[in-house]
Amino acid sequence: MNNTTQTSRKAVFNQLQQMFEEADGRGSTALQLHLKDVAYALGAQAAMVSEPDQMPEVINNLITEFGRGIQTVIQEITGNESKLDVAVYAVSSSQH
């Protein structure tokens, strides 16, 4: 990972952390809404940059990184390494 990527990831994390802390200060309902909004935004961004047939792979990559984040925090908090396997097996779409 190059320096620009690391800087970008850190900036994104810091911004999300600030938003998380602000939501946390308003209570658990605000925190849940914040996480839901972040999930929606990531899904929307993934859809904008992907072709429909790429979505299963894109979603799987997003979920894999989500799992890596959970593993990292669990290790930092508890000192225990954990393994979290995540995968997307199917994505379906319907048009109305």
Side-chain angles (χ1 to χ4, degrees), residues 1 9 63-73 84 86:
M1 183 177 350
R9 282 188 176 180
I63 297 299
T64 297
E65 291 302 317
F66 182 81
R68 287 181 61 214
I70 292 171
Q71 284 177 260
T72 300
V73 171
L84 180 65
V86 293

Side-chain angles (χ1 to χ4, degrees), residues 18-31 33-34 37:
Q18 179 182 349
M19 293 167 63
F20 178 88
E21 289 169 1
E22 290 170 2
D24 188 37
R26 294 189 311 270
S28 64
T29 300
L31 191 53
L33 288 172
H34 162 73
D37 290 344

Side-chain angles (χ1 to χ4, degrees), residues 52-74:
D53 62 329
Q54 296 173 320
M55 285 309 298
E57 182 180 350
V58 169
I59 292 170
N60 197 42
N61 288 338
L62 285 171
I63 297 299
T64 297
E65 291 302 317
F66 182 81
R68 287 181 61 214
I70 292 171
Q71 284 177 260
T72 300
V73 171
I74 289 173

Side-chain angles (χ1 to χ4, degrees), residues 1 3 6 10-13 23 28 32 39 44-45 55 63 73 84 91:
M1 183 177 350
N3 194 31
Q6 287 177 327
K10 184 161 181 63
V12 169
F13 178 84
S28 64
Q32 290 173 11
Q45 289 176 343
M55 285 309 298
I63 297 299
V73 171
L84 180 65
V91 176

